Amino acid sequence: MKVYGGRRGLASLLLALSTGLATVGYGALSITPAEAAVTPVPFSSVVPAVAVSTPTSGVTYGIGAATTIYTEPGSTAAASVGGYLAGLLRPSTGYPLPVTAASGSSPSDGISLLLSGAPSSAGNEGYQMDVTADAIVIRANRPAGLFAGVQTLRQLLPAAAESTTAQPGPWPVAGGRIVDYPRFAYRGAMLDVARHFFPVSTVERYIDEIALYKINHLHLHLSDDQGWRIAVNSWPDLAVHGGSTAVGGGAGGYYTQADYQQIVDHAASRHITIVPEIDMPGHTNAALASYAELNCNGVAPPLYTGTDVGFSSLCTSKELTYTFIDQVVGELAALTPGPYVHIGGDEASSTQPADYAAFINRVQQIVAAHGKTVVGWHDIVNATPLPSTVAQFWGTTSRNAAVTSAAQRGTKIIMSPANLTYLDMKYNSRTTLGQNWAAYIDVKNAYGWNPGAYLSGVGESSVLGVEAPLWTETLKTLPDLEYMAFPRLPAIAELGWSPYSTHDWKAFGQRLGAQGPRWRVMGLNYYRSTQVTWPAGS
Ligand code: IFG
C-alpha cells in the first residue's frame, strides 16, 4: 500500500489522481484500486465485533479459481453451509468453488467448514477461524457456528464479494485466528406483518439481511387489530376476512400454511428460528371481525384500518375463546420447529386486570400443552408467568418494578426498550417514515446501552438477549423496512453478540461505516446516518 505524504508525496498523489490510478480513500491515506482490492479487510472491521482476534500480519489467503470448499464428512448441515457460502461467492468471483466432503481434519488448501477441533469456548453458535496463505479453516461444535463463521468470512472479503455479477477481484482474506461466540443466546429481530402485509419474498430477503449480523431469531407479529396474516384451517375466515385489509385500507394479504413453512425453512437455512406471535387478548380486532361468536356481544366489529391501539379484547369469559386459542396455537405450533410461541399480551386496555391475569395464565397452559415455551410482552408479568415463560421488555425507562420482581423470581427477559430498539422510531425529526412516541433513535442511541445492566434489578443472568422490533404502521415496502432497520439493527445485533468489553462507540461507528459499501453493492436501502462516516463507495 503506497501512502502519500509530504511534498513528493503530494506531487505523486496529484499525478496518480490525474491518471485516475488513485482513489482517495480515508483522508490522507490513498491507495490505488488494485491495491485497495488486495488490502484485506482487517479482523477489527467485523460487525458484530469478534470476541478474540489474533491477526497474522503479512499473511493473506487469496480465494482463487482452484479454491474448493470442504465440509465435515457425513454432515448434511455442514454441506448446506458450504453450499450457502458457494452460493454467495460464485456469482461475484466467477469461480466454480466446488463443495465436497473434507478428506481429513487438517486441510492444506481451500476453505474448510469442520465440526471438529473447535474450542469449547465456541459453544453452540461460535467458531474458530484460521487463515493462512494456504487455507481457511472454520471449526465449530455445531453447524450454527459454521454459519456464523461464514458471516465473518464474508465480511473479511471486499464489498464486491456481495455482488450478484462477476467482479474482477482479487479476493484476499487477512491471515490470523479468530475465536468468536455470542454473549446472549437470543438475538432477535421482529417484523410486524399485521399492520402492513409483506410477501414471502420480502420476509426471506429480510431474513438474509439480519443473518449478516448473526441474528438468530425472527419474531413474526402475525396478528393485530388491522390484520390476521396466517391461515388457520379450523378458522378459515381469520385469514380470508381478517387478512383482507391493512393500515390505510390497502389490500392486506396472508400466508398460507405452505407460505409459512417456506419462511420457516428459509430462516432455518440461515440458522434463524421463527418466533410466531398471535397477540392476545388485545390487538384482536381482525379476529373479532372475522367471527361474531368470538365477541362477548355476538356481534362482529368492522375491519379496522387505523392505527389506534388498546380498543379490542377477546371475550375472556367465553369458553369458545379458549377453544379458539387452543386450535390456533395448535396449528401454529405444529408448523413451528422453534421452541417459542409469542402470545403478545400488550396494551390490553379493554380487558379488566383480573380477567387479563386469568386469561394469560390459562393461555400459557394451552401453549405449554402444545409443547412450546411462552414469550409475551412484559405486560404478562402482571399475570403469573410459568417458570419457562419469557417476558419481552418494551418499556421506555430503565426501571420497572413488576419486571424486576419477575426476573428475581426467575423469569428470563428479552430486552427491547422501545426508546432504544424500536426500529419504527424516526431517526430524528426530519425522518419521514416511522413514529416518535418512544423517542427519536439514531444509531448512537441504539448502540449506547448495555442490555445486561440496563433494567434496574435485572442482571445479565436474567437477560436471555435482545430484539429489535420493526412495527409497520407507516412502512409498506422492503426499502422502507431497510431504511429503518439499517444501520440500527447491526447496532442491536452487536449488543447481542459481542463481549461488552468491545463496546466502544467510536470503534463501532468506524466498523459500521465500513458496512456501507457492502450495503451499496447489495442494493440495501440504508439510512446514511450523520453520526457515521460513510467511506467512498458506500
Ligand atoms: N406499541 C404496540 C405495537 C405498535 C408499536 C409501534 C408494543 C408491544 C407501539 N405494542 O410495542 O403494537 O403499535 O411503535
Side-chain angles (χ1 to χ4, degrees):
M1 177 195 306
K2 275 200 288 294
V3 178
Y4 294 95
R7 187 178 300 281
R8 192 183 65 78
L10 183 60
S12 48
L13 170 60
L14 292 177
L15 174 65
L17 278 174
S18 64
T19 58
L21 278 178
T23 51
V24 179
Y26 302 87
L29 187 66
S30 301
I31 48 181
T32 63
E35 284 169 333
V38 297
T39 306
V41 175
F43 290 170
S44 55
S45 274
V46 175
V47 175
V50 301
V52 183
S53 92
T54 317
T56 309
S57 63
V59 171
T60 299
Y61 177 84
I63 295 178
T67 297
T68 296
I69 297 172
Y70 302 103
T71 63
E72 179 68 26
S75 168
T76 49
S80 298
V81 179
Y84 168 86
L85 175 60
L88 282 174
L89 299 183
R90 282 175 185 152
S92 50
T93 63
Y95 297 147
L97 297 171
V99 180
T100 184
S103 54
S105 60
S106 306
S108 56
D109 70 297
I111 301 171
S112 296
L113 308 176
L114 303 177
L115 291 173
S116 63
S120 55
S121 61
N124 292 338
E125 293 186 86
Y127 60 92
Q128 173 182 284
M129 173 153 60
D130 286 298
V131 182
T132 66
D134 305 318
I136 295 174
V137 182
I138 298 175
R139 298 179 184 276
N141 297 311
R142 295 285 174 78
L146 295 179
F147 188 81
V150 162
Q151 295 313 318
T152 296
L153 172 57
R154 198 174 166 180
Q155 289 191 26
L156 294 177
L157 285 162
E162 299 297 344
S163 174
T164 53
T165 56
Q167 302 301 310
W171 308 102
V173 178
R177 167 171 284 186
I178 289 174
V179 177
D180 197 16
Y181 41 82
R183 177 184 179 192
F184 293 109
Y186 189 102
R187 304 176 307 281
M190 186 210 84
L191 183 59
D192 168 11
V193 296
R195 276 44 182 274
H196 281 100
F197 177 69
F198 295 88
V200 171
S201 59
T202 296
V203 179
E204 289 179 330
R205 177 69 180 170
Y206 195 61
I207 286 170
D208 291 347
E209 293 171 352
I210 64 179
L212 279 165
Y213 300 102
K214 303 187 176 81
I215 293 286
N216 65 357
H217 288 82
L218 176 63
H219 166 184
L220 287 177
H221 186 75
L222 290 167
S223 67
D224 211 299
D225 290 318
Q226 299 87 346
W228 184 285
R229 304 298 182 203
I230 177 69
V232 179
N233 297 330
S234 45
W235 297 78
D237 286 349
L238 290 171
V240 170
H241 184 64
S244 63
T245 186
V247 167
Y254 63 87
Y255 304 116
T256 64
Q257 296 200 353
D259 289 335
Y260 181 77
Q261 195 65 60
Q262 186 177 333
I263 290 169
V264 163
D265 292 347
H266 190 78
S269 72
R270 272 66 176 161
H271 293 273
I272 290 173
T273 299
I274 294 295
V275 179
E277 178 186 353
I278 300 296
D279 202 344
M280 50 183 144
H283 288 274
T284 43
N285 188 77
L288 295 165
S290 303
Y291 288 95
E293 60 269 41
L294 286 177
N295 296 265
C296 282
N297 64 2
V299 176
L303 291 170
Y304 179 68
T305 60
T307 56
D308 292 343
V309 297
F311 60 87
S312 58
S313 175
L314 289 176
C315 185
T316 57
S317 60
K318 269 192 172 181
E319 265 312 299
L320 179 66
T321 297
Y322 302 97
T323 304
F324 165 73
I325 292 167
D326 182 49
Q327 292 174 336
V328 168
V329 169
E331 289 192 38
L332 199 51
L335 292 166
T336 301
Y340 300 118
V341 167
H342 198 302
I343 63 170
D346 62 307
E347 298 179 314
S349 316
S350 300
T351 313
Q352 292 302 315
D355 297 339
Y356 173 85
F359 173 88
I360 294 294
N361 291 343
R362 191 163 171 187
V363 170
Q364 287 183 95
Q365 296 296 343
I366 292 172
V367 171
H370 288 289
K372 299 299 182 184
T373 298
V374 171
V375 185
W377 299 106
H378 75 252
D379 315 52
I380 62 167
V381 301
N382 296 311
T384 308
L386 291 175
S388 58
T389 290
V390 176
Q392 182 168 6
F393 178 73
W394 64 286
T396 56
T397 67
S398 58
R399 188 174 297 279
N400 183 307
V403 173
T404 298
S405 63
Q408 286 167 351
R409 287 197 304 274
T411 297
K412 297 301 181 198
I413 311 295
I414 292 172
M415 293 298 292
S416 296
N419 58 320
L420 297 168
T421 68
Y422 269 30
L423 302 177
D424 63 317
M425 291 301 114
K426 292 173 182 289
Y427 288 96
N428 53 52
S429 59
R430 296 179 304 284
T431 311
T432 48
L433 295 170
Q435 306 189 60
N436 65 357
W437 67 269
Y440 288 122
I441 303 177
D442 206 328
V443 65
K444 194 172 181 181
N445 310 109
Y447 183 74
W449 61 292
N450 177 0
Y454 176 76
L455 259 182
S456 64
V458 176
E460 177 135 357
S461 62
S462 294
V463 176
L464 186 61
V466 293
E467 184 180 289
L470 185 51
W471 299 102
T472 61
E473 282 92 338
T474 66
L475 310 178
K476 297 178 183 171
T477 65
L478 175 62
D480 288 352
L481 302 181
E482 293 176 340
Y483 188 83
M484 300 303 273
F486 294 87
R488 293 176 295 188
L489 182 111
I492 305 301
E494 171 142 332
L495 293 176
W497 177 276
S498 305
Y500 197 64
S501 59
T502 66
H503 194 267
D504 175 286
W505 163 250
K506 190 170 180 302
F508 176 71
Q510 288 168 345
R511 280 187 279 118
L512 197 57
Q515 297 297 309
R518 317 190 75 82
W519 297 338
R520 171 61 61 98
V521 172
M522 293 175 68
L524 192 151
N525 179 49
Y526 68 101
Y527 165 64
R528 296 169 67 84
S529 170
T530 54
Q531 297 178 337
V532 175
T533 303
W534 302 101
S538 60

